[in-house]
Amino acid sequence: MADQTEVYGNLLRQFSGKQVLVIGDLMLDTYLHCGALGVANEAPVPLLEALRQEDVPGGAANVACNLAALGVATELIGVIGQDQAAESLCSRIKASGVVLHELVTERPTTHKTRILSEGHYYLRVDDEGSSTLSESEWEGLVQIIEERSRQHEVVVISDYAKGVVQAKLSPVLARSCPKNSTILADLKPSSVLSWKGPLDVLTPNAKEAQQLFSGLKGGSLPPPQGLAQTLSQKLNCCVVLTQGSEGMTVASSAGALWNYPAVSQGAWNTSGAGDTVLAVLAAATACGAPIEQAARLANLAAGLAVSTPHTHAVSANELAGALVQL
């Protein structure tokens, strides 16, 4: 155990100074903490009193903030609107140490508000635009991506189906990323099926993996190990299949397989846990760590992320303190 702790401790220390570029859908997660007052007079619904509001970066912004909290020099590319949510989001991204390259559009910034009271999650309200990027907006985004991706050997794609990740993004990366670059992605199944460019690591959750299997092969669903291996072979990339309380299954493109049980101090909130996994995988990859080491560390970090009451960027110090659980 001591030798293993030392190995992963050394890996964590290597994160500082590494560089990663994140591209994806930016969003603001707002947590409205309330006190319970009873039942409303006009309808049989809970009556809550707003006590405090907490804004944190979500989506691709959460991936980037997780990387920065690990000590990685992080750049982030995404789209925002011209609204108060954008102001709050941008200020928090920059305060985390992430270098932000934002494209400002007419669409509203994706904003998710979660209403909580005394440990209960009552409601989520989403405020976002459903329109696609205009041709001029897409060209502006591509210009930023081409300029910054040339400077990075590790690129992360965070897809929340809000318009940044499209089928035509993959050829942009293929022509602009350095020859030996590594691309890690959390893609929606529809994006995976239309992806034509390089892809080294894919991080689907169980539901997404099942949808992908149906789209790529069909037939009876295999158990998680077989599911991860099938997807890895079909997509010719490493698949890190996240399964919540069931842990993580990893299948390499060479056919190797690893299983990691969940490591958690009492799951409370799963929001953003996948972002944490993606960030740790990218940080470890930037250090040259093999996928089995990267995934094991990412699994530990996910346990820390779900043990907090909100979207949370797991720091290098937190992860170092939890190494004894490996």
Side-chain angles (χ1 to χ4, degrees):
M1 178 64 71
D3 290 343
Q4 186 168 265
T5 301
E6 183 178 351
V7 168
Y8 285 95
N10 288 336
L11 178 57
L12 276 175
R13 286 187 285 274
Q14 292 177 50
F15 288 175
S16 180
K18 299 301 180 183
Q19 298 183 1
V20 174
L21 173 66
V22 180
I23 302 168
D25 297 303
L26 310 183
M27 58 184 68
L28 179 67
D29 285 345
T30 292
Y31 293 86
L32 187 60
H33 298 273
C34 303
L37 297 180
V39 179
N41 293 329
E42 67 272 21
V45 296
L47 177 61
L48 304 175
E49 177 187 19
L51 300 177
R52 63 185 176 88
Q53 177 177 316
E54 185 175 11
D55 290 349
V56 294
N62 185 38
V63 178
C65 289
N66 268 272
L67 279 160
L70 293 170
V72 176
T74 309
E75 294 189 38
L76 173 63
I77 299 173
V79 172
I80 59 170
Q82 303 177 57
D83 46 34
Q84 187 174 355
E87 294 178 9
S88 179
L89 177 59
C90 290
S91 67
R92 282 162 175 76
I93 291 172
K94 293 173 182 177
S96 74
V98 172
V99 177
L100 175 62
H101 307 281
E102 71 271 33
L103 178 73
V104 181
T105 70
E106 296 297 324
R107 302 192 314 168
T109 304
T110 300
H111 185 194
K112 297 183 178 183
T113 301
R114 295 173 174 86
I115 299 174
L116 310 96
S117 176
E118 298 178 357
H120 296 287
Y121 181 1
Y122 279 90
L123 184 69
R124 193 183 89 184
V125 180
D126 290 0
D127 181 10
E128 59 188 14
S130 57
S131 62
T132 58
L133 296 176
S134 68
E135 191 61 34
S136 62
E137 289 170 342
W138 176 253
E139 290 174 357
L141 184 63
V142 167
Q143 184 176 353
I144 298 172
I145 292 171
E146 287 183 331
E147 178 184 346
R148 299 315 310 158
S149 60
R150 292 190 183 99
Q151 313 300 319
H152 292 81
E153 294 185 350
V154 178
V155 177
V156 172
I157 310 299
S158 177
D159 178 17
Y160 276 81
K162 307 303 179 187
V164 169
V165 181
Q166 304 180 27
K168 53 188 177 180
L169 174 61
S170 53
V172 172
L173 296 174
R175 67 173 179 259
S176 58
C177 289
K179 184 177 180 180
N180 296 321
S181 60
T182 300
I183 295 181
L184 305 92
D186 185 359
L187 298 174
K188 296 299 182 185
S190 58
S191 297
V192 177
L193 295 174
S194 61
W195 194 266
K196 302 300 182 184
L199 184 60
D200 297 286
V201 179
L202 183 68
T203 63
N205 59 33
K207 182 179 179 180
E208 291 167 340
Q210 292 166 5
Q211 292 173 347
L212 265 178
F213 179 86
S214 298
L216 289 168
K217 184 172 181 175
S220 300
L221 283 170
Q225 292 185 4
L227 184 57
Q229 285 185 315
T230 299
L231 294 179
S232 177
Q233 292 165 5
K234 287 287 185 180
L235 299 169
N236 193 31
C237 70
C238 176
V239 170
V240 178
L241 173 57
T242 59
Q243 303 166 80
S245 61
E246 299 300 316
M248 181 184 293
T249 298
V250 182
S252 74
S253 54
L257 189 70
W258 298 272
N259 292 293
Y260 302 106
V263 181
S264 175
Q265 299 175 7
W268 197 96
N269 166 50
T270 59
S271 177
D275 299 334
T276 298
V277 168
L278 188 56
V280 175
L281 288 173
T285 297
C287 298
I291 189 61
E292 62 269 27
Q293 281 190 2
R296 192 169 191 182
L297 196 61
N299 186 54
L300 177 60
L304 294 172
V306 302
S307 299
T308 61
H310 50 69
T311 304
H312 175 65
V314 176
S315 70
N317 286 339
E318 287 177 278
L319 204 43
L323 287 179
V324 293
Q325 298 181 64
L326 285 173

